[in-house]
Amino acid sequence: MRKKDKKQFYYIKDKRLLLHVCCGPCSTTCINRLIDEGFKITLWFSDDNIYPESENLKRYENLLIVAKEHNLECLYKPYDHKSWLEAVKGYENEKEGGARCGLCFDYNLKTAELKAKELNIPYFATTLTVSRYKNSKRLFEIGDKMDGFLEFDFKKRGGYDESIRLSKELGLYRQHYCGCEFSLAESNAYIAKKNTEKS
Ligand code: SF4
């Protein structure tokens, strides 16, 4: 049975949850909502998709600012971009939102499922659903195949706008691209096109 959003998790007694986090800004509103729902959160920064490594570390450092605000434990997965590239092999030229992203979601959610198991944490969720650029239904279809996944659609109830507001309040770095080198190239091309149109 599909687990619907909106305080439906009142019946869960053991509220320990591992939260897969893509970046500090996205984590803000997700953490608030999970705390509201009574979850005890451990943060899991596992983002081998992010390129280059310096960007991965920059996003992690910004997450630490949010973690400190809430006094939450924040775990870091050592960077392994090679394995991620293997996972999306053959789909490099897909546009953002295409098949490569489905493989990327699967890769990242899988690391969360495994980490939650290792730590004996019964549930996990992902901040990826807060972005209006990411299809929550698709993320749920992928997550539902894994043990302990909870369907939190964090973009609901104005979650995305709220994450921007909170990020500004905390002075967090907000990136202009999703994460991988392919999305970086796509974003740079878009910015260059806009600049040409303006001049
Ligand atoms: S665009 Fe984003 S979601 Fe898609 S493959 Fe790249 S990093 Fe992953």
Side-chain angles (χ1 to χ4, degrees), residues 9-198:
F9 299 119
Y10 65 90
Y11 57 85
I12 290 178
K13 296 276 184 287
D14 185 350
K15 292 224 160 168
R16 289 171 301 140
L17 179 139
L18 187 76
L19 181 62
H20 164 256
V21 182
C22 56
C23 63
C26 286
S27 74
T28 52
T29 185
C30 307
I31 291 172
N32 285 348
R33 176 144 168 224
L34 287 167
I35 290 172
D36 272 0
E37 299 240 2
F39 281 91
K40 296 190 180 6
I41 314 160
T42 302
L43 302 173
W44 173 232
F45 187 86
S46 161
D47 296 281
D48 291 337
N49 53 311
I50 297 171
Y51 177 88
E53 185 170 12
S54 56
E55 175 74 15
N56 174 284
L57 289 171
K58 196 172 179 181
R59 295 189 193 187
Y60 172 60
E61 279 157 16
N62 274 263
L63 173 60
L64 290 179
I65 297 170
V66 187
K68 201 171 164 206
E69 279 288 305
H70 295 280
N71 201 21
L72 293 174
E73 185 180 12
C74 185
L75 307 173
Y76 176 78
K77 178 186 180 301
Y79 188 60
D80 180 11
H81 192 58
K82 248 189 188 172
S83 296
W84 181 84
L85 280 173
E86 267 305 305
V88 300
K89 205 171 178 172
Y91 295 88
E92 294 87 346
N93 297 325
E94 289 275 326
K95 284 221 167 291
E96 186 173 337
R100 187 188 66 237
C101 297
L103 294 168
C104 181
F105 295 160
D106 187 67
Y107 181 99
N108 280 338
L109 290 183
K110 198 80 203 159
T111 71
E113 182 196 29
L114 293 175
K115 193 68 185 175
K117 271 190 186 151
E118 180 195 320
L119 299 172
N120 198 26
I121 294 176
Y123 301 105
F124 76 97
T126 178
T127 60
L128 288 169
T129 62
V130 85
S131 168
R132 61 167 65 127
Y133 304 104
K134 297 202 171 55
N135 185 321
S136 298
K137 193 168 166 261
R138 194 168 176 202
L139 278 157
F140 291 163
E141 279 163 8
I142 294 166
D144 283 344
K145 295 191 181 99
M146 302 179 190
D147 287 341
F149 177 74
L150 293 185
E151 286 188 357
F152 272 102
D153 194 352
F154 293 113
K155 66 168 77 55
K156 284 196 173 163
R157 295 186 239 154
Y160 182 71
D161 290 339
E162 180 69 355
S163 74
I164 292 172
R165 191 187 68 73
L166 292 169
S167 303
K168 284 183 182 160
E169 216 172 87
L170 289 170
L172 299 178
Y173 157 69
R174 287 179 55 232
Q175 60 275 358
H176 70 88
Y177 68 105
C178 182
C180 62
E181 51 270 67
F182 314 112
S183 62
L184 175 60
E186 210 176 315
S187 173
N188 284 343
Y190 177 78
I191 292 166
K193 191 170 168 249
K194 284 277 157 207
N195 288 339
T196 314
E197 282 167 8
K198 266 192 231 157

